[in-house]
Amino acid sequence: MGMNDFRKLIVASGLRMYDMNLTVGTWGNISLRDTETGRIYLTPSGMNYHQCCSDDIVVCDASGAIIEGERVPTIEKDLHVGIYQKRPDVNAIVHTHPIYSLVFATLGEDIPLVIDEAAQLLGDTVRCAEYALPGTTELAENCLKALGDKSNACLLKSHGAVCVAGNMDMAFVIATVLEQTAQVYYMGRAIGNPQPLSEKDILCMQDFVKNRYGQRK
């Protein structure tokens, strides 16, 4: 993909996030990493997703230094850059504000892997990061701690969710599965005590998706 392709994908992904009700207003943010150059493409701060265009996308290098774009980048730039530095498996990040995930974020509670889709794709228990103000180094550090080395999603206390993946399409799958899991867990707790899948079953499901699911290549 060329630079313009990355920019266009960020713009399209912002609309996708908004239209999927994964955020409201100008909240949330999105980024992509170009694996060939190490460049990171970010949504601008506080811009309406339906008014954002390719020229509004901000580009930084692997250290977080802005190298292209006239707009102010998302205030969570350091959070995105920090994840890319720690997780070489991640090339796309979607920071969302969906309602059921926010319920558990306000409670400061983790979301266990209670359904097969969560076990297959979320990587690990969805942990809630300790609270920090938006846009701070502390928030970025707390997010990295909650994600760890293998989880594909975490909650930000009283704020939202962060979903990571190797590409943008999968990042949106992760975001969708996280919100579905949060809703199921919320509803399950309303009438009972939903139990997380066992570690053995989680590992089995992850192996199934990685090695045996879908059409043989």
Side-chain angles (χ1 to χ4, degrees), residues 22 29-30 33 36 41 54 56 66 78 85 94 100 110 124 136 147 170:
L22 292 174
N29 37 75
I30 296 172
R33 171 166 57 180
E36 294 185 3
Y41 295 75
S54 294
D56 296 316
I66 302 298
D78 289 347
Q85 290 176 343
V94 180
Y100 285 98
D110 299 344
D124 200 357
T136 61
L147 274 178
M170 185 52 68

PDB file of all heavy atoms in Angstrom, residues 22 29-30 33 36 41 54 56 66 78 85 94 100 110 124 136 147 170:
ATOM      1  N   LEU A  22     -19.595   2.285  17.353  1.00  0.00           N
ATOM      2  CA  LEU A  22     -18.496   1.990  18.271  1.00  0.00           C
ATOM      3  C   LEU A  22     -17.966   3.258  18.934  1.00  0.00           C
ATOM      4  O   LEU A  22     -17.091   3.191  19.800  1.00  0.00           O
ATOM      5  CB  LEU A  22     -17.364   1.270  17.528  1.00  0.00           C
ATOM      6  CG  LEU A  22     -17.702  -0.141  17.046  1.00  0.00           C
ATOM      7  CD1 LEU A  22     -16.569  -0.715  16.196  1.00  0.00           C
ATOM      8  CD2 LEU A  22     -17.988  -1.072  18.233  1.00  0.00           C
ATOM      9  N   ASN A  29     -10.249   6.996  18.338  1.00  0.00           N
ATOM     10  CA  ASN A  29      -9.171   7.268  17.395  1.00  0.00           C
ATOM     11  C   ASN A  29      -8.659   5.971  16.787  1.00  0.00           C
ATOM     12  O   ASN A  29      -8.909   4.881  17.310  1.00  0.00           O
ATOM     13  CB  ASN A  29      -8.029   8.065  18.044  1.00  0.00           C
ATOM     14  CG  ASN A  29      -7.782   7.659  19.474  1.00  0.00           C
ATOM     15  OD1 ASN A  29      -7.208   6.616  19.738  1.00  0.00           O
ATOM     16  ND2 ASN A  29      -8.244   8.485  20.408  1.00  0.00           N
ATOM     17  N   ILE A  30      -7.954   6.110  15.667  1.00  0.00           N
ATOM     18  CA  ILE A  30      -7.545   4.956  14.858  1.00  0.00           C
ATOM     19  C   ILE A  30      -6.136   5.190  14.340  1.00  0.00           C
ATOM     20  O   ILE A  30      -5.740   6.320  14.066  1.00  0.00           O
ATOM     21  CB  ILE A  30      -8.510   4.779  13.665  1.00  0.00           C
ATOM     22  CG1 ILE A  30      -9.918   4.457  14.160  1.00  0.00           C
ATOM     23  CG2 ILE A  30      -8.032   3.683  12.716  1.00  0.00           C
ATOM     24  CD1 ILE A  30     -10.962   4.447  13.057  1.00  0.00           C
ATOM     25  N   ARG A  33       0.004   1.023  11.053  1.00  0.00           N
ATOM     26  CA  ARG A  33       1.447   1.048  10.891  1.00  0.00           C
ATOM     27  C   ARG A  33       1.827   0.419   9.552  1.00  0.00           C
ATOM     28  O   ARG A  33       1.366  -0.669   9.210  1.00  0.00           O
ATOM     29  CB  ARG A  33       2.150   0.291  12.020  1.00  0.00           C
ATOM     30  CG  ARG A  33       3.647   0.120  11.769  1.00  0.00           C
ATOM     31  CD  ARG A  33       4.422  -0.319  12.969  1.00  0.00           C
ATOM     32  NE  ARG A  33       3.953  -1.570  13.549  1.00  0.00           N
ATOM     33  CZ  ARG A  33       4.494  -2.130  14.618  1.00  0.00           C
ATOM     34  NH1 ARG A  33       5.498  -1.532  15.240  1.00  0.00           N
ATOM     35  NH2 ARG A  33       4.027  -3.279  15.092  1.00  0.00           N
ATOM     36  N   GLU A  36       6.592  -1.721   6.184  1.00  0.00           N
ATOM     37  CA  GLU A  36       7.797  -1.523   5.376  1.00  0.00           C
ATOM     38  C   GLU A  36       8.607  -0.311   5.830  1.00  0.00           C
ATOM     39  O   GLU A  36       9.840  -0.341   5.841  1.00  0.00           O
ATOM     40  CB  GLU A  36       7.416  -1.384   3.903  1.00  0.00           C
ATOM     41  CG  GLU A  36       6.830  -2.650   3.296  1.00  0.00           C
ATOM     42  CD  GLU A  36       6.581  -2.506   1.810  1.00  0.00           C
ATOM     43  OE1 GLU A  36       6.922  -1.437   1.245  1.00  0.00           O
ATOM     44  OE2 GLU A  36       6.049  -3.447   1.204  1.00  0.00           O
ATOM     45  N   TYR A  41       0.158   6.035  10.825  1.00  0.00           N
ATOM     46  CA  TYR A  41      -0.865   6.944  10.316  1.00  0.00           C
ATOM     47  C   TYR A  41      -1.962   7.067  11.368  1.00  0.00           C
ATOM     48  O   TYR A  41      -2.496   6.052  11.835  1.00  0.00           O
ATOM     49  CB  TYR A  41      -1.430   6.423   8.999  1.00  0.00           C
ATOM     50  CG  TYR A  41      -0.409   6.399   7.886  1.00  0.00           C
ATOM     51  CD1 TYR A  41       0.584   5.424   7.838  1.00  0.00           C
ATOM     52  CD2 TYR A  41      -0.417   7.369   6.881  1.00  0.00           C
ATOM     53  CE1 TYR A  41       1.534   5.411   6.819  1.00  0.00           C
ATOM     54  CE2 TYR A  41       0.523   7.361   5.858  1.00  0.00           C
ATOM     55  CZ  TYR A  41       1.494   6.384   5.840  1.00  0.00           C
ATOM     56  OH  TYR A  41       2.437   6.375   4.832  1.00  0.00           O
ATOM     57  N   SER A  54      -8.254  12.656   3.457  1.00  0.00           N
ATOM     58  CA  SER A  54      -6.896  12.114   3.468  1.00  0.00           C
ATOM     59  C   SER A  54      -5.865  13.130   3.928  1.00  0.00           C
ATOM     60  O   SER A  54      -4.895  12.784   4.615  1.00  0.00           O
ATOM     61  CB  SER A  54      -6.532  11.583   2.076  1.00  0.00           C
ATOM     62  OG  SER A  54      -7.322  10.468   1.741  1.00  0.00           O
ATOM     63  N   ASP A  56      -6.117  15.281   6.121  1.00  0.00           N
ATOM     64  CA  ASP A  56      -6.195  15.523   7.559  1.00  0.00           C
ATOM     65  C   ASP A  56      -5.442  14.476   8.374  1.00  0.00           C
ATOM     66  O   ASP A  56      -5.236  14.654   9.579  1.00  0.00           O
ATOM     67  CB  ASP A  56      -7.657  15.539   8.013  1.00  0.00           C
ATOM     68  CG  ASP A  56      -8.442  16.686   7.396  1.00  0.00           C
ATOM     69  OD1 ASP A  56      -7.899  17.805   7.361  1.00  0.00           O
ATOM     70  OD2 ASP A  56      -9.580  16.452   6.945  1.00  0.00           O
ATOM     71  N   ILE A  66       6.272  13.659  14.583  1.00  0.00           N
ATOM     72  CA  ILE A  66       5.410  13.971  13.443  1.00  0.00           C
ATOM     73  C   ILE A  66       6.284  14.273  12.224  1.00  0.00           C
ATOM     74  O   ILE A  66       7.194  15.097  12.287  1.00  0.00           O
ATOM     75  CB  ILE A  66       4.503  15.173  13.740  1.00  0.00           C
ATOM     76  CG1 ILE A  66       3.644  14.904  14.980  1.00  0.00           C
ATOM     77  CG2 ILE A  66       3.611  15.480  12.531  1.00  0.00           C
ATOM     78  CD1 ILE A  66       2.708  13.734  14.854  1.00  0.00           C
ATOM     79  N   ASP A  78       0.621   8.940  21.855  1.00  0.00           N
ATOM     80  CA  ASP A  78       1.630   8.191  22.607  1.00  0.00           C
ATOM     81  C   ASP A  78       1.148   6.784  22.949  1.00  0.00           C
ATOM     82  O   ASP A  78       1.945   5.844  23.016  1.00  0.00           O
ATOM     83  CB  ASP A  78       2.003   8.935  23.880  1.00  0.00           C
ATOM     84  CG  ASP A  78       2.805  10.195  23.609  1.00  0.00           C
ATOM     85  OD1 ASP A  78       3.286  10.364  22.476  1.00  0.00           O
ATOM     86  OD2 ASP A  78       2.950  11.015  24.535  1.00  0.00           O
ATOM     87  N   GLN A  85       5.426  -0.072  19.565  1.00  0.00           N
ATOM     88  CA  GLN A  85       6.788  -0.340  20.013  1.00  0.00           C
ATOM     89  C   GLN A  85       6.878  -1.630  20.814  1.00  0.00           C
ATOM     90  O   GLN A  85       7.871  -2.356  20.714  1.00  0.00           O
ATOM     91  CB  GLN A  85       7.300   0.843  20.846  1.00  0.00           C
ATOM     92  CG  GLN A  85       7.556   2.103  20.036  1.00  0.00           C
ATOM     93  CD  GLN A  85       7.979   3.278  20.898  1.00  0.00           C
ATOM     94  OE1 GLN A  85       7.787   3.272  22.119  1.00  0.00           O
ATOM     95  NE2 GLN A  85       8.540   4.306  20.277  1.00  0.00           N
ATOM     96  N   VAL A  94      -7.658   0.356  17.073  1.00  0.00           N
ATOM     97  CA  VAL A  94      -8.939   1.056  17.086  1.00  0.00           C
ATOM     98  C   VAL A  94      -9.311   1.326  18.540  1.00  0.00           C
ATOM     99  O   VAL A  94      -9.465   0.389  19.331  1.00  0.00           O
ATOM    100  CB  VAL A  94     -10.046   0.221  16.402  1.00  0.00           C
ATOM    101  CG1 VAL A  94     -11.369   0.975  16.427  1.00  0.00           C
ATOM    102  CG2 VAL A  94      -9.660  -0.127  14.974  1.00  0.00           C
ATOM    103  N   TYR A 100     -21.610  -1.232  25.971  1.00  0.00           N
ATOM    104  CA  TYR A 100     -21.488  -2.331  26.930  1.00  0.00           C
ATOM    105  C   TYR A 100     -20.065  -2.472  27.457  1.00  0.00           C
ATOM    106  O   TYR A 100     -19.861  -2.770  28.644  1.00  0.00           O
ATOM    107  CB  TYR A 100     -21.974  -3.648  26.308  1.00  0.00           C
ATOM    108  CG  TYR A 100     -23.479  -3.715  26.206  1.00  0.00           C
ATOM    109  CD1 TYR A 100     -24.132  -3.399  25.016  1.00  0.00           C
ATOM    110  CD2 TYR A 100     -24.257  -4.076  27.305  1.00  0.00           C
ATOM    111  CE1 TYR A 100     -25.523  -3.438  24.931  1.00  0.00           C
ATOM    112  CE2 TYR A 100     -25.644  -4.122  27.218  1.00  0.00           C
ATOM    113  CZ  TYR A 100     -26.269  -3.803  26.036  1.00  0.00           C
ATOM    114  OH  TYR A 100     -27.642  -3.845  25.962  1.00  0.00           O
ATOM    115  N   ASP A 110     -12.621  -6.363  34.740  1.00  0.00           N
ATOM    116  CA  ASP A 110     -12.176  -7.103  33.567  1.00  0.00           C
ATOM    117  C   ASP A 110     -13.368  -7.826  32.941  1.00  0.00           C
ATOM    118  O   ASP A 110     -14.386  -8.081  33.602  1.00  0.00           O
ATOM    119  CB  ASP A 110     -11.129  -8.145  33.959  1.00  0.00           C
ATOM    120  CG  ASP A 110      -9.884  -7.528  34.580  1.00  0.00           C
ATOM    121  OD1 ASP A 110      -9.690  -6.309  34.439  1.00  0.00           O
ATOM    122  OD2 ASP A 110      -9.113  -8.282  35.203  1.00  0.00           O
ATOM    123  N   ASP A 124      -6.767 -13.026  25.429  1.00  0.00           N
ATOM    124  CA  ASP A 124      -6.650 -13.174  26.875  1.00  0.00           C
ATOM    125  C   ASP A 124      -7.797 -12.403  27.507  1.00  0.00           C
ATOM    126  O   ASP A 124      -8.525 -11.665  26.829  1.00  0.00           O
ATOM    127  CB  ASP A 124      -5.300 -12.619  27.346  1.00  0.00           C
ATOM    128  CG  ASP A 124      -4.883 -13.151  28.718  1.00  0.00           C
ATOM    129  OD1 ASP A 124      -5.661 -13.907  29.328  1.00  0.00           O
ATOM    130  OD2 ASP A 124      -3.776 -12.801  29.185  1.00  0.00           O
ATOM    131  N   THR A 136      -2.579  11.397  28.404  1.00  0.00           N
ATOM    132  CA  THR A 136      -1.396  11.446  29.259  1.00  0.00           C
ATOM    133  C   THR A 136      -0.488  10.238  29.039  1.00  0.00           C
ATOM    134  O   THR A 136      -0.921   9.175  28.582  1.00  0.00           O
ATOM    135  CB  THR A 136      -1.793  11.489  30.741  1.00  0.00           C
ATOM    136  OG1 THR A 136      -2.541  10.303  31.068  1.00  0.00           O
ATOM    137  CG2 THR A 136      -2.655  12.711  31.022  1.00  0.00           C
ATOM    138  N   LEU A 147      -2.910  -4.491  28.308  1.00  0.00           N
ATOM    139  CA  LEU A 147      -2.840  -5.330  27.112  1.00  0.00           C
ATOM    140  C   LEU A 147      -1.883  -6.494  27.298  1.00  0.00           C
ATOM    141  O   LEU A 147      -2.154  -7.622  26.879  1.00  0.00           O
ATOM    142  CB  LEU A 147      -2.397  -4.498  25.907  1.00  0.00           C
ATOM    143  CG  LEU A 147      -3.451  -3.743  25.113  1.00  0.00           C
ATOM    144  CD1 LEU A 147      -2.790  -2.949  24.005  1.00  0.00           C
ATOM    145  CD2 LEU A 147      -4.513  -4.676  24.544  1.00  0.00           C
ATOM    146  N   MET A 170      -9.176  -6.962  10.845  1.00  0.00           N
ATOM    147  CA  MET A 170      -9.197  -7.785  12.049  1.00  0.00           C
ATOM    148  C   MET A 170      -9.370  -6.934  13.296  1.00  0.00           C
ATOM    149  O   MET A 170     -10.012  -7.366  14.263  1.00  0.00           O
ATOM    150  CB  MET A 170      -7.929  -8.623  12.148  1.00  0.00           C
ATOM    151  CG  MET A 170      -7.921  -9.594  13.324  1.00  0.00           C
ATOM    152  SD  MET A 170      -9.389 -10.664  13.418  1.00  0.00           S
ATOM    153  CE  MET A 170      -9.133 -11.703  11.962  1.00  0.00           C
TER     154      MET A 170
END
